[in-house]
């Protein structure tokens, strides 16, 4: 009796992948053709949107880089101007009190 149960259990265990595959094929056949096309269209739309957002991110990164470069150049120009003003103030003070 135990040998019979073991044989049935072994059969069910080994047959499980084949039954699951057959059920998957039946489920795939049951899917309406229009639904597959709609899903494909949604996937294509999502890919297009992702591509557009990637391009937008690249453009924004370029803009940020340009703004940072301009900011650094402006900061340097202000520092040079401040140094020039300080030097001119020292010269003026020295000229007032010889």
């Amino acid at each position: 009796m135990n040998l019979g149960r073991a044989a049935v259990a072994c059969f069910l265990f080994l047959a499980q992948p084949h039954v699951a595959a057959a059920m998957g094929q039946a489920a795939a056949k049951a899917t309406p053709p229009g639904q597959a096309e709609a899903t494909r269209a949604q996937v294509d739309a999502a890919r297009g949107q992702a591509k557009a957002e990637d391009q937008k991110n690249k453009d924004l990164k370029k803009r940020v880089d340009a703004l940072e470069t301009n900011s650094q150049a402006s900061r340097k120009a202000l520092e040079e101007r401040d140094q020039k003003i300080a030097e001119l103030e020292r010269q003026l003070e020295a000229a007032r009190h010889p």
Side-chain angles (χ1 to χ4, degrees):
M1 189 78 160
N2 287 337
L3 184 59
R5 286 185 182 174
V8 170
C10 183
F11 172 77
L12 290 175
F13 179 76
L14 293 175
Q16 186 178 5
H18 300 292
V19 172
M23 290 179 68
Q25 290 174 352
K29 289 179 183 176
T31 303
Q35 185 178 4
E37 291 173 7
T39 302
R40 192 171 299 120
Q42 287 175 340
V43 169
D44 291 342
R47 285 182 182 151
Q49 184 178 5
K51 186 176 179 181
E53 287 181 10
D54 285 344
Q55 185 60 44
K56 191 175 182 181
N57 283 341
K58 288 177 185 177
D59 292 345
L60 288 173
K61 285 179 183 180
K62 286 180 185 177
R63 185 164 185 238
V64 166
D65 289 342
L67 290 173
E68 286 178 349
T69 300
N70 290 343
S71 176
Q72 291 171 355
S74 297
R75 187 178 302 115
K76 184 177 179 182
L78 285 173
E79 288 174 1
E80 289 173 358
R81 186 197 68 179
D82 288 346
Q83 290 174 354
K84 183 68 175 176
I85 289 172
E87 178 61 29
L88 290 172
E89 285 176 345
R90 283 192 291 273
Q91 289 176 5
L92 181 61
E93 193 63 34
R96 285 185 187 161
H97 304 286

